[in-house]
Amino acid sequence: MNYSYVSHLYCPKCSKTYSSEEENHLCICGSPLLVDYNLDNLCGQLTPQDLVQRAPDLWRYHELLPVQNEDNVISLGEGMTPLVHFPSLGKDMGIPELLMKDEGVIPTGAFKARGAAVGVSKAKELGVKELAMPTNGNAGAAWSLYAARAQMSSTIIMPIDAPGITRNECALSGANLFLVNGLISDAGKIVAEAVKEKGMYDVSTLKEPYRIEGKKTMGLEIAEQLNWQLPDVILYPTGGGVGLIGIYKALRELQQLGWLSPEQKMPRLVAVQSEGCAPIVEAWKQGKKESNFWEGSETVAFGINVPKAIGDFLVLDAVYKTEGCAIAVTDEELLEEQQKIARHEGAFVCPEGAASFLAARKLRNDNWIKENEQVVVLNTGAGIKYPDTVDFDIPILEPGDSI
Ligand SMILES: Cc1ncc(COP(=O)(O)O)c(C=O)c1O
Ligand SMILES: [Zn+2]
């Protein structure tokens, strides 16, 4: 058996194919490229039962990942994050079967570790020595740390307002770090220039086909953790949308492998955004296939402050095909929700995760989510990465005071 069943890259827009054994970024038509696998060959060779003995990290799905030689795997043990039942918050929302997939407990404290682990490993396999990317913080932190482990150098550009801790993570890893007085889209333009001039490997969101494969493992894990019975709804905080595209891709691959019973419906995928930056929601409301650039975007849920996603058409396609929806929430309400989650369930989720729980609450109120439905919410990172979103006045005691 092969370590990986990767076959090639293909363009979801014009169907042109490319090799996965040489460096490729976008299709000549400008679309991101996706990875295809020899699933027909894998069918029957691998069964869900074979996974049971494997280590609890995302490499347990190595046949469905693009790294061909196991020696190239760069891992910090990422993956198999907990899927936790939230009975108290669920009762409060009227969703008894509310579950959190907790990506806060993964190396680097955010789900970005998945994309970085697989992306850096594949870059190593392709002989890359130096990578470059724009980021809203968490991705840059993960990629620069994994690059360091692979002895690769990294150039990272992030908005000056990105969470300070992610800045420190990059700097600590030895990355060439720059802050831009603007948005991730401004950082992206500078990276694109630098890549052209200096020949660095561009790992900007979806300009590199393998990050999505790492994020896909969230979908594989949800299916495995639920014993191959899919939930009714999955909510995902959507910036570039890579996680949502990845989860959809994962579930389709499982269908093709025959690991899901044929009568099972796809979960309805929900793209959650902030009212301060909701290009996908706006496009979805208008039934459009692509989004427009969102001017003046701003939100405390920094990871989803993406005014125009290069893979927007793939996000929208996944939402339409699964009969999902797209919904925006306010910063004020999502911070209230963050507190409710901590008080009901003892979980300190990131603002992006809180936005997705709030979206579940709103969709239940609108009866779009039914009471008996099983709902999985992605908490994409640890709340402790965002200390500045929490602000309480705490009484200060002098030694000898009593309370
Ligand atoms: C914590 C967090 N959640 C969600 C996102 C959005 O991820 P995606 O690009 O997959 O939409 C990000 C991206 O930076 C993030 O850091
Ligand atoms: Zn194309």
Side-chain angles (χ1 to χ4, degrees), residues 10-18 26-33:
Y10 70 97
C11 172
K13 266 199 176 150
C14 75
S15 304
K16 194 169 161 40
T17 60
Y18 295 82
L26 295 177
C27 178
I28 43 166
C29 78
S31 164
L33 296 172

Side-chain angles (χ1 to χ4, degrees), residues 224-247:
E224 186 178 359
Q225 287 171 312
L226 293 175
N227 208 14
W228 312 104
Q229 298 294 316
L230 301 180
D232 296 291
V233 178
I234 298 177
L235 296 103
Y236 180 79
T238 303
V242 185
L244 191 138
I245 302 166
I247 289 170

Side-chain angles (χ1 to χ4, degrees), residues 100-140:
M100 167 178 71
K101 176 77 172 155
D102 191 8
E103 296 291 300
V105 289
I106 198 167
T108 79
F111 77 121
K112 299 283 180 179
R114 295 177 186 268
V118 174
V120 167
S121 299
K122 189 63 190 179
K124 183 177 178 217
E125 189 155 271
L126 294 169
V128 170
K129 298 277 180 282
E130 185 173 8
L131 54 82
M133 73 189 305
T135 174
N136 265 341
N138 284 322

